[in-house]
């Protein structure tokens, strides 16, 4: 019995249950607010703009490609991407940088004027952690930096290692930023984005040119960040400014011979299903019907009730309806680690009316605590094998 008492007394160390604790703990500062009509209004004031669907979801296409001349539009609309200045090139993973440093020369070589031509040139590939590995210096992270900023970082590291900080840096291979060209072109290809701006006419020339006979209903479609832009082919060369459309890393250019929006929609939906598109999520944890993530809708808002019942609600046998929380981190960088826990006590069924009115925000965490009997049951299930084992050893 004494041994059994010791085992039971140690249940807290055997089983750890997650819970929401107000105050500073684990590097986070948690504030708990009871959910009521006033605090729901306060929570909903948090600024939020739902993601919008690409424009081609709201455009009429008569069910896809136009099969008869009568069903085709009079003219294809021109939708140009906004003019942007991406700034100087930033080094990325996969790029190869060339580091040139002067070599020690003999007096004969110096007198013969060969000093300027004798430089040690070594290429380094930017690895997946964004760094290059330089002998006698170590790993230096340069991904995401411009050439000028990378030169500053390398200069500091060379000085720190008491090495000659005289060097030159250039990019010899551009592998991190690319634009894809496909559709009705001679040679579909992928083109690297370099230090020089890449324009549409250059990209089409690199793909061998356009292979379209009937230009009336052909168009160049540019896909960027989930949005489709369109340049009718019969206008491309009549307006010089269209050929000077600047392409950005990650753009996809497709020369299409049909006015088909359904394919673009299917492609975008496939991107969403594969997780390629940058969706906004809410996460459900604890004693919910299914621990999962809930995707916030496009062009609309979702409530606590929407997310809860999408995940089969509260686990009826184990969940504590009096301990339902929505955890929301502060978006202010000056309040890093500050978390507000909106607490819903649903022991009164009337409080459930607050759930459809509480608006969710990206990265909210919905947490349902365990019932006390559930914690006890799970603790006993862990120590019971120890008791049985002890009993067997004592009888032996």
């Amino acid at each position: 019995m004494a041994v059994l008492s010791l085992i039971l007394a140690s249940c807290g160390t055997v089983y750890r249950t997650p819970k929401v604790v107000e105050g500073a703990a684990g590097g986070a500062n948690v504030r708990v607010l009871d959910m009521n009509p006033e605090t729901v209004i306060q929570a909903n004031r948090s600024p939020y703009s739902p993601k919008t669907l690409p424009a081609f979801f709201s455009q009429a296409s008569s069910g896809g490609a136009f099969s008869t001349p009568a069903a085709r539009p009079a003219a294809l609309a021109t939708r140009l991407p906004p003019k942007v200045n991406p700034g100087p090139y930033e080094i990325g993973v996969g790029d190869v940088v060339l580091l040139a440093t002067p070599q020690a020369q003999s007096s004969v070589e110096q007198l013969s004027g060969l000093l300027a031509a004798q430089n040690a040139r070594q290429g380094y590939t930017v690895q997946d952690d964004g760094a290059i590995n330089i002998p006698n210096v170590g790993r230096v992270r340069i991904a995401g930096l411009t050439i000028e900023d990378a030169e500053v970082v390398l200069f500091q590291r060379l000085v720190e290692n008491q090495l000659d900080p005289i060097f030159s840096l250039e990019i010899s291979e551009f592998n991190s930023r690319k634009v894809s060209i496909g559709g009705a072109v001679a040679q579909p290809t992928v083109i690297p984005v370099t230090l020089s701006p890449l324009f549409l006419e250059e990209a089409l020339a690199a793909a061998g040119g356009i292979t379209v006979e009937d230009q009336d209903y052909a168009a160049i479609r540019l896909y960027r960040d989930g949005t489709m832009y369109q340049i009718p082919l019969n206008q491309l060369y009549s307006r010089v400014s269209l050929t000077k459309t600047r392409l950005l890393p990650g753009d996809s250019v497709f020369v299409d011979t049909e006015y088909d929006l359904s394919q673009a929609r299917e492609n975008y939906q496939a991107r969403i299903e594969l997780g390629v598109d940058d969706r906004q999520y809410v996460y459900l944890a604890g004693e919910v019907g299914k621990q999962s993530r809930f995707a916030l809708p496009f062009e609309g808002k979702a409530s606590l009730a929407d997310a809860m019942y999408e995940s089969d609600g509260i686990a009826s046998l184990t969940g504590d309806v009096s301990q339902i929380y929505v955890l929301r981190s502060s978006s202010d960088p000056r309040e890093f680690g500050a978390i507000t826990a909106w607490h819903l006590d649903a022991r009164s069924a009337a409080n459930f009316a607050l759930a459809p009115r509480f608006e969710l925000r990206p990265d909210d965490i919905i947490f349902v605590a365990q019932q006390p009997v559930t914690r006890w049951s799970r603790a006993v299930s862990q120590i019971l094998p120890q008791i049985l084992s002890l009993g067997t050893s004592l009888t032996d």
Side-chain angles (χ1 to χ4, degrees):
M1 291 298 295
V3 174
L4 178 60
S5 299
L6 289 173
I7 293 176
L8 292 175
S10 65
C11 285
T13 61
V14 172
Y15 182 76
R16 296 296 187 191
T17 176
K19 57 184 177 180
V20 176
V21 179
E22 186 169 18
N29 187 14
V30 181
R31 178 183 61 162
V32 178
L33 294 179
D34 288 330
M35 203 176 292
N36 54 52
E38 290 75 19
T39 57
V40 167
I41 294 175
Q42 177 184 349
N44 292 348
R45 287 175 180 168
S46 174
Y48 169 56
S49 298
K51 280 185 170 292
T52 59
L53 281 169
F56 50 76
F57 276 90
S58 59
Q59 298 163 6
S61 64
S62 297
F66 291 88
S67 56
T68 63
R72 295 186 176 185
L76 298 181
T78 300
R79 295 183 298 275
L80 300 179
K83 293 183 178 181
V84 295
N85 182 8
Y89 185 89
E90 293 181 351
I91 301 171
V93 174
D95 287 345
V96 178
V97 297
L98 203 60
L99 186 64
T101 57
Q103 286 184 330
Q105 305 296 320
S106 67
S107 58
V108 175
E109 290 174 326
Q110 293 179 12
L111 293 174
S112 61
L114 297 178
L115 179 59
Q118 297 295 322
N119 285 335
R121 299 168 64 86
Q122 179 65 48
Y124 299 96
T125 301
V126 181
Q127 303 298 319
D128 54 4
D129 63 349
I132 58 175
N133 191 16
I134 304 176
N136 301 322
V137 175
R139 302 189 70 79
V140 182
R141 181 176 177 81
I142 62 173
L145 302 180
T146 64
I147 295 180
E148 183 179 357
D149 292 338
E151 288 175 340
V152 173
V153 172
L154 288 170
F155 181 88
Q156 293 174 345
R157 291 295 299 272
L158 291 172
V159 172
E160 291 172 0
N161 288 273
Q162 300 181 352
L163 298 174
D164 187 355
I166 299 176
F167 66 92
S168 65
L169 182 69
E170 61 184 81
I171 303 175
S172 61
E173 294 183 21
F174 297 86
N175 300 317
S176 63
R177 289 166 170 76
K178 301 177 181 179
V179 169
S180 61
I181 310 292
V185 292
Q187 298 175 345
T189 185
V190 175
I191 305 171
V193 177
T194 64
L195 301 179
S196 302
L198 178 62
F199 297 105
L200 179 59
E201 61 177 350
E202 299 170 352
L204 293 174
I210 298 172
T211 58
V212 175
E213 296 181 0
D214 182 7
Q215 296 187 4
D216 291 339
Y217 296 100
I220 295 176
R221 296 196 169 93
L222 170 61
Y223 298 89
R224 177 182 296 170
D225 297 331
T227 301
M228 184 191 75
Y229 304 97
Q230 179 174 271
I231 301 176
L233 206 55
N234 56 13
Q235 297 185 25
L236 178 63
Y237 296 107
S238 62
R239 295 169 55 184
V240 178
S241 60
L242 297 181
T243 63
K244 294 297 182 181
T245 301
R246 184 168 182 176
L247 302 180
L248 301 182
D251 284 353
S252 296
V253 178
F254 190 85
V255 181
D256 201 347
T257 57
E258 293 289 348
Y259 190 82
D260 188 358
L261 294 177
S262 62
Q263 183 64 43
R265 294 168 182 167
E266 292 174 3
N267 291 341
Y268 188 75
Q269 290 170 342
R271 287 173 60 88
I272 292 176
E273 294 173 0
L274 294 173
V276 177
D277 191 65
D278 185 20
R279 293 295 302 273
Q280 296 171 320
Y281 293 98
V282 167
Y283 302 89
L284 297 103
E287 301 303 316
V288 292
K290 179 176 64 175
Q291 298 198 38
S292 59
R293 63 181 186 178
F294 170 77
L296 294 178
F298 287 101
E299 303 180 3
K301 297 180 180 180
S303 68
L304 172 60
D306 293 331
M308 289 289 293
Y309 289 98
E310 182 75 16
S311 64
D312 300 332
I314 303 171
S316 58
L317 296 179
T318 60
D320 187 348
V321 295
S322 70
Q323 300 292 319
I324 303 173
Y325 296 90
V326 178
L327 307 177
R328 182 175 299 171
S329 299
S330 173
S331 58
D332 191 340
R334 295 170 297 181
E335 298 179 354
F336 184 77
I339 298 174
T340 300
W342 309 92
H343 171 223
L344 175 62
D345 184 352
R347 286 177 296 184
S348 171
N351 286 344
F352 271 119
L354 296 172
R357 298 170 55 189
F358 188 96
E359 297 177 359
L360 297 174
R361 297 294 183 261
D363 299 326
D364 279 355
I365 298 176
I366 301 172
F367 174 78
V368 180
Q370 297 173 329
Q371 296 180 11
V373 67
T374 302
R375 292 196 296 271
W376 170 254
S377 174
R378 289 175 175 170
V380 170
S381 67
Q382 287 190 322
I383 66 173
L384 187 58
Q386 302 178 38
I387 297 175
L388 296 176
S389 176
L390 178 62
T392 301
S393 62
L394 291 176
T395 55
D396 291 342

